[in-house]
């Protein structure tokens, strides 16, 4: 049974991984997701970025559920 | 005209024209309880980087999240200061050196509220909205903008 | 273009139009070391006084003294903040409710200098320039404006 | 021999005395001038105003010389 989460990447993160979105088998938590991303995209290790879950910044480790929208956000630089 | 509270789009494709700013100012002539307007404009600077000189900034955003956050900031600033009006516009896409990429506009009965709210809005927009600037260099390369 | 330091006229007969403001903004597109503009606009408010409702303010000034003082203030603000440009315009004559009577415009490389300089300029203009506002009321009478 | 000083009045002061300028025989000092004005225009006593001499605000009592431009300035209310 599929349990996908949808990931959006922005700015320098999108540039480094070469794509703006991807879908992954749900690894369970945001910490597990980060480890999975670091495994798949080692170049991410050197980047500063935070995670948003369903458009909210997430402090700490969060349980991931199917259909959630996760975003990888490098430091903001608007204005 | 600003008192209904619903998320509104802040994004503009391309640079913000001086005509748009003038129109926005002119629109407030009918609001006779306004005594002061405070405006901040962000303009693209030809910064010298080790890798080359900036000729433009290409802005992208996580638009849905940015609009939610901008609405939250609007509400907080309206709650904190006695404002009559508040407008925020941010460019997306490539904005050339000398062009305007950010337009923040606050109005109030007395000047201090408009000024303080405008300053605070600009700080929060830069710190809290998921927007990214890619600085395009005259060497064909680019660097990612860093807010200080 | 603002670096030569000589007294310049700040007075405008009648209201300051949004087109003038737009033109002033557009004139800065060629200054590629500017990162932020701060603008303050004073607008005539329809205040309710015990004697009637304000419909206009008629401004007069001791012009020669005001220009000398404005120059002194300009020099002090330029010395205090790293500004690229500074513009001050104040109306004379009858300015109707909803119209703009004061336009202060500062520009700098980084936003904070422009914002702080703009705030300080507005305070000093209101406190130190010999300008007087006669508030014209809908009852045909008038009261003299008091700055707080 | 004539020793005139020129006086400009603004705002509420001009309104109260009914003119925007006048010339007076030099009374000697700014304090003496104020007393003379209060004598000629008793309605000025109830007004707040300061003196500028040759376009500068004058703290304290100032010696007046022929040809000086004195201005009577009610509280500023620009902006």
């Amino acid at each position: 049974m599929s349990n996908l989460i949808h990931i959006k990447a922005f700015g320098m993160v999108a540039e480094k991984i070469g794509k703006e979105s991807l879908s992954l088998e749900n690894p369970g938590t945001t910490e597990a997701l980060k480890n999975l991303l670091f495994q798949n995209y080692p170049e991410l290790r050197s980047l500063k970025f935070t995670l948003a879950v369903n458009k909210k910044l997430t402090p700490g480790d969060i349980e991931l559920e199917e259909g959630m929208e996760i975003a990888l956000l490098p430091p903001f630089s608007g204005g | 005209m600003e008192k209904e509270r619903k998320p509104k789009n802040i994004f503009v494709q391309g640079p913000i024209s001086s005509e748009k700013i003038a129109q926005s100012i002119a629109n407030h002539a009918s609001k006779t309880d306004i005594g002061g307007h405070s405006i901040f404009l962000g303009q693209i600077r030809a910064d010298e980087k080790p890798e080359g000189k900036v000729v433009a900034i290409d802005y992208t955003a996580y638009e849905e999240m940015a609009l939610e956050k901008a609405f939250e900031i609007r509400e907080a600033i309206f709650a904190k200061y006695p404002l009559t009006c508040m407008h925020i516009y941010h460019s997306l896409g490539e904005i050339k050196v000398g062009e305007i990429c950010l337009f923040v506009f606050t109005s109030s009965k007395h000047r201090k509220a408009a000024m303080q709210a405008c300053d605070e809005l600009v700080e929060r927009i830069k710190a809290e909205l998921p927007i990214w600037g890619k600085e395009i260099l005259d060497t064909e390369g680019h660097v990612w903008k860093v807010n200080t």
Side-chain angles (χ1 to χ4, degrees), chain A, chain B:
Chain A
M1 197 185 116
S2 120
N3 177 1
L4 288 181
I5 54 167
H6 306 290
I7 298 173
K8 294 185 171 214
F10 293 93
M12 199 191 284
V13 170
E15 183 178 76
K16 281 276 184 191
I17 69 177
K19 50 184 84 170
E20 293 184 348
S21 67
L22 60 156
S23 293
L24 285 180
E25 196 65 28
N26 181 359
T29 69
T30 50
E31 280 305 309
L33 173 63
K34 274 197 225 173
N35 288 332
L36 185 60
L37 288 167
F38 287 148
Q39 223 171 334
N40 295 353
Y41 306 98
E43 57 274 39
L44 278 186
R45 288 175 196 271
S46 63
L47 288 191
K48 205 172 160 241
F49 67 94
T50 53
L51 260 58
V53 177
N54 290 343
K55 306 186 193 76
K56 300 281 176 204
L57 293 180
T58 57
D61 198 11
I62 300 270
E63 198 91 23
L64 294 178
E65 287 162 29
E66 201 202 331
M68 274 182 166
E69 181 176 295
I70 316 295
L72 313 180
L73 311 176
F76 306 157
S77 57
Chain B
M1 68 192 175
E2 284 299 313
K3 286 299 168 72
E4 89 273 22
R5 300 282 202 257
K6 48 177 192 178
K8 34 191 260 180
N9 192 18
I10 66 166
F11 290 112
V12 175
Q13 278 296 328
I16 295 160
S17 70
S18 55
E19 291 77 14
K20 180 186 175 69
I21 297 163
Q23 189 55 57
S24 197
I25 293 167
N27 286 345
H28 291 74
S30 59
K31 310 264 301 177
T32 61
D33 54 342
I34 292 176
H37 303 286
S38 192
I39 292 174
F40 178 80
L41 303 173
Q43 180 168 308
I44 308 296
R45 215 169 47 218
D47 267 3
E48 297 279 357
K49 306 273 170 178
E51 301 87 350
K53 189 161 108 178
V54 173
V55 295
I57 297 183
D58 187 12
Y59 284 103
T60 52
Y62 184 9
E63 292 186 46
E64 305 89 330
M65 181 177 165
L67 295 182
E68 280 188 11
K69 191 71 194 176
F71 179 61
E72 185 188 317
I73 294 172
R74 270 178 71 84
E75 291 296 291
I77 299 281
F78 263 124
K80 184 168 175 184
Y81 299 100
L83 298 181
T84 314
C85 298
M86 182 194 311
H87 302 275
I88 302 170
Y89 300 101
H90 197 296
S91 291
L92 293 179
E94 190 171 311
I95 316 302
K96 294 192 178 60
V97 157
E99 293 181 330
I100 305 289
C101 61
L102 174 62
F103 172 27
V104 177
F105 187 11
T106 53
S107 310
S108 57
K109 187 170 181 192
H110 299 288
R111 68 187 180 283
K112 299 240 184 234
M115 288 174 155
Q116 287 167 8
C118 187
D119 285 14
E120 193 167 325
L121 267 172
V122 172
E123 296 306 312
R124 293 196 63 177
I125 287 165
K126 287 183 167 254
E128 299 177 41
L129 295 192
I131 301 174
W132 298 274
K134 185 163 81 170
E135 296 175 316
I136 313 295
L137 305 175
D138 60 356
T139 53
E140 313 268 300
H142 69 262
V143 292
W144 288 91
K145 181 170 181 274
V146 177
N147 277 0
T148 48

